[in-house]
Amino acid sequence: MNNKTINHAAWIFVLPVVALVAFNAIIPLMTVVNYSVQETFGDNTFFWAGVIWFEEVLHSSRFHDALLRQLAFTFTILAIEVPLGVAIALAMPRKGAWVSVCLVTMALPLLIPWNVVGAMWNIFALPDIGLLGRGLNALGFDYNFTRQPGDAWFTLILMDVWHWTSLVVLLAYAGLVSIPDAYYQAAKIDGAGSFAIFRFIQLPKLKRVLTIAVLLRFMDSFMIYTEPFVLTGGGPGNSTTLLSIDLVKIALGQFDLGPAAAMSLIYFLIILLLSWVFYTLMMRSEAQ
Amino acid sequence: MTLELKDVSLRFGADTHIYPTSLTLDPGSFNILLGTTLAGKTTLMKLMAGLEKPTRGEVWFSGRNVTGVSVRSRNVSMVYQQFINYPNLTVYENIASPLRVARIAEAEIRKKVESLAELLKLSPMLERRPGELSGGQQQRTALARALAKDSDLVLLDEPLANLDFKLREELRDELPRLFADRDCIVVYATTEPTEALLFGGNTACLHEGRIAQFGPTGEIYRAPKDLVSAQVFSDPPINTVTVTKRGGEFRLADMAAWAAIGEFANIADGDYTLGVRPHHVSPLARGENPVGIDGKVLVAELSGSESIIHFTMHGATWVSQSHGIHPFEVGSQAKLYADMSRAMLFDKNGTRVAA
């Protein structure tokens, strides 16, 4: 017994969204899928290639190295930015005139275009003219991010921490402000110290926003391109060539469309998989 | 174990939150802070607890000056309107938390938590987290946490306000029982006069940062010292209008006149503010000295066996609350009777006269 009337006119209202999503997601993605299973020659002639590009990418040490660098980069910045962000948010004032000053200062790095951030840090860190580069050398460190891989990594991570910790700070701050005053009073009345307040009130209450912060920072840092490209260009050598930089080199430098497309899909699936794992783990720990 | 506030006041910049207030609360007493929202109930409680330091004045406890002593080193517990528990600890751990801070032996903690859980009907929920409980159970957990501590001063800040009606009645019945055999001082803040009457004990009527009157609850209800106390302690609000006494007679403009008898016989001639509680105004002539008043019906609510009628009369809005079903048409003219033998008179300063 199904007496539901089906209104076919409703499809018309869904159509614009379908068209939009098709244009900005489905069609480009399918084009990539198309490239990934074919060998492409000039003047757009295609030959079926099956899964050879996927095999090639998955077995190439170049891809493995880039992936490892990417993972190292992402987990390093997460390990720094999340605790640092929470610590700064805890230290920020809750009321008074300083609140807006702090918030605006915190938001500033987020407002700067990404390539400008890269260029800024490039100049800032140059060992001959940059404040940071010259300063470090004057202090006796042998610092040159254009020649030494370790220095390049140090600069890259410092830049990302500078650029993106603010996001974690703002999210954590919003979470902290939403905790009713009564919680703090209740803890005080119980005789709880500031560590106990953090451990048993603030941290549990921040769980949700921190989940979002970690996810956002994970996805963004995994896809990072502009800033390292402008800062180091992937160098010295290949030492800071992250996945996205490598991908662009293959696709637009060497014009290997097949391997590039296969790599894009693998890249996409890795992000999807890791995001899902992250989200599931954090949601499960919350449910417990 | 007496709590004394001596001329305590609290100011933030130019804002006065609490005007100089003196109050003495005895051990084992149940005290109610009655007042509307923003009257200063929570602030006064914070001053009592030591969460807020008074701008002037002193707080004494058991004959010791505790002004400025941190709340951590006082033996106080507090329950809030919101259900405040540690979100990631189980109910058991929540109740045990003040005991753990006090470094009490594990076996004793277990015994205490279990007996409190029994008392507050939380025994089956001990392993759950607050997020998995109903509002009533969360508030019971908060109450159990407050009781676990054996505090000298228990502050309950509108603890039932966020509960639904049935749970509120249930917990309201249990509350006095919980404190019956303890000699701690209980302070209970509420906006509802009915709640104060149900609990009995002592009541402090709070209005705009001042205690208008403090004393046994029933006494304050029957004999408020001034108009403010009468207003705070009346829901629906007390009806007021200006009347004139001349000779042996009161006059309400040219609408009504009645003989000044009983307690009103001997007061001086002049203008007074008349106050009549809504349940002394009825569509029927009841009581010892009913006086008919003509008005225009604004709202007529029938709730079960009660009629609540709002009407305008001589520029004022009055409310009548009476038993029985009395249908009135909104907008119609009606005659209602105020029992003047139960009325109160206040002079120009708001002080109650006669009695």
Side-chain angles (χ1 to χ4, degrees), chain B residues 190-229:
Chain B
T190 180
T191 55
E192 293 171 40
T194 13
E195 213 163 45
L197 286 169
L198 278 167
F199 283 129
N202 301 316
T203 292
C205 289
L206 221 69
H207 183 70
E208 292 177 351
R210 283 192 179 90
I211 291 187
Q213 194 176 358
F214 176 68
T217 305
E219 206 171 284
I220 294 199
Y221 180 76
R222 278 188 302 275
K225 205 176 71 190
D226 53 20
L227 186 56
V228 172
S229 292

Side-chain angles (χ1 to χ4, degrees), chain B residues 107-176:
Chain B
E108 204 175 319
I109 291 183
R110 174 155 291 276
K111 227 176 79 193
K112 197 148 190 185
V113 171
E114 276 167 2
S115 77
L116 277 170
E118 186 71 28
L119 186 68
L120 283 155
K121 299 177 196 152
L122 286 168
S123 302
M125 290 89 174
L126 282 176
E127 293 314 312
R128 296 205 208 153
R129 276 162 218 274
E132 303 163 57
L133 302 177
S134 72
Q137 291 162 343
Q138 288 185 45
Q139 195 63 315
R140 279 170 207 273
T141 307
L143 271 168
R145 234 181 60 237
L147 290 172
K149 220 178 151 186
D150 266 330
S151 323
D152 305 320
L153 176 63
V154 179
L155 302 166
L156 308 169
D157 191 0
E158 299 189 47
L160 309 182
N162 280 7
L163 294 172
D164 64 61
F165 184 71
K166 220 178 151 69
L167 279 169
R168 197 183 312 173
E169 285 207 321
E170 208 177 293
L171 260 178
R172 192 188 279 151
D173 286 346
E174 290 169 27
L175 264 177

Side-chain angles (χ1 to χ4, degrees), chain A residues 183 185 189-190 192 288, chain B residues 46 72 76 80 86 129 149:
Chain A
Y183 275 93
Q185 289 170 23
I189 287 174
D190 277 2
Q288 272 171 2
Chain B
K46 284 187 188 170
R72 285 177 223 270
V76 178
Y80 298 83
Y86 295 107
R129 276 162 218 274
K149 220 178 151 186

Side-chain angles (χ1 to χ4, degrees), chain B residues 287-318:
Chain B
E288 289 167 31
N289 192 8
V291 174
I293 292 165
D294 293 310
K296 192 177 159 205
V297 178
L298 287 178
V299 180
E301 300 167 327
L302 305 178
S303 73
S305 59
E306 255 191 355
S307 302
I308 296 171
I309 298 146
H310 296 239
F311 61 100
T312 49
M313 177 273 301
H314 193 55
T317 304
W318 275 37

